Amino acid sequence: MISIDGVSQTFKGKSGPVEAIRDISLTIGEGEFLTVIGRSGCGKSTLLRMVAGLLKPTKGEVRVAGEVVREPRRDVAMVFQKPALLPWRSVEDNIMLPVEIFGRRKADHRAQVDRLLETTGLTAFRKRLPHELSGGMQQRVSLCRALIQNPKVMLMDEPFSALDALTREELAVELQRIHMDLGTTIVFVTHSIQEAVLLADRVAVLSSRPGQVRRLVEIPIPRPRSFGHNAHMDQVAGVSAELHSLLLSDTHLPKTSTL
Amino acid sequence: MTDFDAGSRTSRVWTNVGLPILGVIITVTGWWAITAAFHIDPFYVPSPADVVDTFLRTPEFLLQETWTTLQRVLIGFAIAVALGLVIAVTLAASRTVERMAMPILAAINAVPKVALAPLLLVWMGFGDSPKIVMVVLVSFFPVIVSTMAGLTSTPDDLQELTRSLKASWWQTFVKVRLTWALPQVFVGLKVATPLAIIGAVIGEVVNPDRGLGSVIAGSGASNDTPLAFAALVLLAVTGVVLFYLVAGIERLLVPWRVAK
Ligand SMILES: Nc1ncnc2c1ncn2[C@@H]1O[C@H](COP(=O)(O)OP(=O)(O)OP(=O)(O)O)[C@@H](O)[C@H]1O
Ligand SMILES: [Mg+2]
């Protein structure tokens, strides 16, 4: 579905060039859930923005559904770290925004909005304005707004990182269900190992700047997965530990190499 | 405001209506007390009672002049707002135009408007139009600056969102940037409201025919300080009413902001 082919990104910063991403190649299959994990500043958002067509790679190219990405595509939906809701629009009008922008008929999408509100438990809040909602609810609205696009691919940049731990888990479980229902291809950036293990088919561990793929870790745990007690706790603990050591050992690498 | 009981109805009426009224009462009493305590000659500073007496001598006349000034203010303000919004939108739409026009606009704004009043008299003679033009000249700039600030303050996440949806420039402008700018626009309108009144008074003082500014100019000639004060009080009241009117419209149009 997505192929990232030798992609690099170097920003021209004020104090010289910043190499954010170096030579990343990845193939993401149709319906796959890939999480990208890495330390802060390693270029995760940059990578995602290149896949979204918001940023042109300095080298290499990204293909979605076989076509080279040169600009954003309407079958690729983004979910950002902040909910990015329009404060003057009610919940349902915010969800309708992509429909309006795409010039489609709102009437054709009413039923889908109802369904999305239902699955995310927002039905009672459909007329509310964003500032009347909790952070978790706002992020649910933002998720609905992405889903109304009926995207082939969803790109999610730390969508739950501003939420408290319990809400995060709740939303992660919800997202897993949505993914199982719809089979959308999802690239999900996070720096939570727990989240990565719950959600991913594969985890791409990025190294510190410049971001490179340090390891691709398969998560062969059957779905639906859950936090807390379950039948696969040993496996979960195993992969979590592996991811942990991959991320931790990384800190020392650049230091020792520059000494 | 972190009053614990801010939610209850009586306390809200108290903070929104009671406190402002109390402020006015204290100020007027203070004014009165000072003029009484120091035996100040009403020729220099009349007491509130002198001012009220003066007003009651010719209430129809003063209210008529107030209405004249108010009309000029409202027409001029409406033109200034329309002009300011159009200019701001044009400037925000094109970097090139902005670069070219901004120094000119800033220069126009920096010209002391009083200095223009005699010119306006030459160009337009007596009557309403030079006063209305003065109102526009004095009050259009804050509208432009604040609207532009609002139009360029769209947060990054919303910009990324519209880009990722491949929204056209026009769609982004109408659906996101313009509404996002509204709170800022109202900041400009609130700055421009008193300026509009000042503009009308400048026009009327320099080029007196009718209106409260002319009353003030005339009272100087006849040494009638209480009359000047009566006119000033009426101007002040007009200013307060207009300001709260704008604030009220803001409440209607920008409920998401006011609720925060
Ligand atoms: N537009 C830009 N211009 C210059 N440098 C940039 C730009 N965008 C990102 N960078 C730099 O590229 C590096 C990677 O940034 P990026 O935002 O992709 O990191 P990240 O992995 O998403 O971090 P976080 O986990 O904190 O979100 C950072 O060092 C950042 O300073
Ligand atoms: Mg990031």
Side-chain angles (χ1 to χ4, degrees):
Chain A
M1 194 65 189
I2 306 174
S3 67
I4 301 169
D5 195 6
V7 161
S8 302
Q9 181 63 247
T10 307
F11 291 108
K12 292 183 194 71
K14 279 194 193 103
S15 47
V18 180
E19 190 179 13
I21 292 284
R22 181 187 291 172
D23 193 28
I24 288 190
S25 295
L26 268 175
T27 312
I28 301 149
E30 179 146 10
E32 183 176 350
F33 201 125
L34 180 91
T35 58
V36 178
I37 195 166
R39 308 174 68 87
S40 191
C42 75
K44 305 181 294 294
S45 300
T46 306
L47 180 67
L48 211 62
R49 295 180 68 231
M50 290 191 287
V51 177
L54 292 168
L55 184 70
K56 195 175 164 298
T58 6
K59 260 202 299 204
E61 60 182 22
V62 178
R63 285 164 188 274
V64 170
E67 294 162 34
V68 178
V69 173
R70 295 205 173 79
E71 54 174 3
R73 300 166 56 106
R74 288 185 165 173
D75 54 1
V76 174
M78 285 281 277
V79 179
F80 303 93
Q81 180 169 1
K82 288 195 213 148
L85 303 175
L86 299 178
W88 53 88
R89 283 189 175 226
S90 66
V91 166
E92 53 182 355
D93 291 343
N94 262 296
I95 298 175
M96 274 293 185
L97 182 75
V99 175
E100 286 173 31
I101 287 181
F102 296 170
R104 301 191 182 141
R105 286 188 36 185
K106 283 208 239 176
D108 298 344
H109 292 267
R110 287 265 147 67
Q112 196 188 354
V113 171
D114 290 347
R115 249 180 294 126
L116 287 170
L117 288 169
E118 184 81 34
T119 42
T120 48
L122 288 169
T123 309
F125 299 92
R126 58 191 306 158
K127 301 281 183 211
R128 300 286 185 89
L129 291 177
H131 74 254
E132 300 173 289
L133 306 180
S134 69
M137 287 152 104
Q138 293 183 10
Q139 204 51 274
R140 284 190 173 93
V141 177
S142 155
L143 186 61
C144 291
R145 183 182 56 198
L147 289 169
I148 197 92
Q149 287 178 248
N150 295 314
K152 288 192 192 133
V153 174
M154 281 219 286
L155 304 174
M156 311 182 76
D157 192 356
E158 301 188 37
F160 307 147
S161 64
L163 307 174
D164 65 272
L166 277 175
T167 313
R168 280 183 88 132
E169 294 185 2
E170 217 174 273
L171 275 168
V173 170
E174 226 167 281
L175 178 64
Q176 171 182 237
R177 213 187 51 234
I178 290 169
H179 174 243
M180 286 169 67
D181 287 349
L182 302 177
T184 317
T185 309
I186 299 180
V187 182
F188 185 101
V189 167
T190 179
H191 40 222
S192 150
I193 292 175
Q194 236 198 342
E195 238 168 48
V197 173
L198 181 89
L199 290 167
D201 297 315
R202 283 188 301 162
V203 182
V205 183
L206 296 195
S207 62
S208 297
R209 219 175 62 208
Q212 287 168 291
V213 179
R214 198 166 145 71
R215 183 85 60 85
L216 271 168
V217 180
E218 299 258 354
I219 315 275
I221 303 167
R223 296 180 193 278
R225 302 170 189 164
S226 61
F227 290 110
H229 284 282
N230 58 54
H232 307 280
M233 276 166 69
D234 291 343
Q235 252 177 305
V236 171
V239 227
S240 301
E242 185 185 353
L243 292 173
H244 209 122
S245 50
L246 277 169
L247 285 168
L248 265 188
S249 63
D250 187 49
T251 24
H252 307 298
L253 274 180
K255 277 184 194 152
T256 43
S257 61
T258 48
L259 275 176
Chain B
M1 295 294 261
T2 50
D3 295 355
F4 285 117
D5 57 353
S8 86
R9 215 186 116 68
T10 40
S11 76
R12 233 179 322 141
V13 170
W14 170 243
T15 42
N16 289 342
V17 182
L19 287 179
I21 290 178
L22 186 65
V24 172
I25 292 175
I26 291 175
T27 312
V28 173
T29 315
W31 169 12
W32 205 329
I34 290 171
T35 51
F38 297 101
H39 303 288
I40 296 175
D41 185 340
F43 175 71
Y44 295 111
V45 181
S47 74
D50 297 329
V51 175
V52 172
D53 277 346
T54 311
F55 176 75
L56 291 178
R57 254 191 287 134
T58 51
E60 297 89 5
F61 166 69
L62 281 171
L63 288 178
Q64 184 62 47
E65 300 308 299
T66 308
W67 175 234
T68 304
T69 303
L70 181 62
Q71 274 175 309
R72 292 167 173 172
V73 168
L74 289 179
I75 296 172
F77 187 65
I79 297 175
V81 171
L83 198 71
L85 288 179
V86 170
I87 293 178
V89 168
T90 318
L91 297 191
S94 155
R95 258 273 132 86
T96 324
V97 180
E98 188 208 326
R99 287 277 147 77
M100 274 166 49
M102 215 48 200
I104 308 286
L105 290 170
I108 294 177
N109 186 50
V111 170
K113 303 303 175 308
V114 189
L116 289 179
L119 280 175
L120 294 179
L121 178 65
V122 173
W123 293 332
M124 290 173 232
F126 294 94
D128 288 333
S129 32
K131 283 83 173 179
I132 292 173
V133 170
M134 188 56 87
V135 173
V136 175
L137 282 175
V138 172
S139 59
F140 81 104
F141 200 69
V143 181
I144 297 184
V145 173
S146 63
T147 306
M148 283 189 57
L151 287 175
T152 48
S153 72
T154 320
D156 291 344
D157 47 345
L158 290 183
Q159 286 181 31
E160 290 260 281
L161 172 72
T162 52
R163 275 189 65 206
S164 77
L165 291 172
K166 282 181 83 176
S168 67
W169 183 90
W170 182 246
Q171 284 176 324
T172 308
F173 189 81
V174 172
K175 289 190 193 295
V176 180
R177 292 179 69 194
L178 207 54
T179 321
W180 186 268
L182 271 186
Q184 296 262 46
V185 172
F186 272 97
V187 173
L189 294 186
K190 285 180 188 163
V191 175
T193 319
L195 287 179
I197 295 177
I198 293 172
V201 173
I202 293 177
E204 290 169 353
V205 167
V206 176
N207 176 0
D209 53 352
R210 289 162 54 230
L212 289 174
S214 317
V215 171
I216 294 173
S219 72
S222 58
N223 291 338
D224 192 350
T225 320
L227 180 62
F229 265 76
L232 286 177
V233 169
L234 285 169
L235 283 171
V237 171
T238 313
V240 170
V241 169
L242 284 185
F243 184 86
Y244 278 104
L245 202 65
V246 173
I249 297 174
E250 178 181 19
R251 251 167 198 283
L252 281 179
L253 287 183
V254 198
W256 70 94
R257 176 61 172 237
V258 180
K260 264 188 216 161

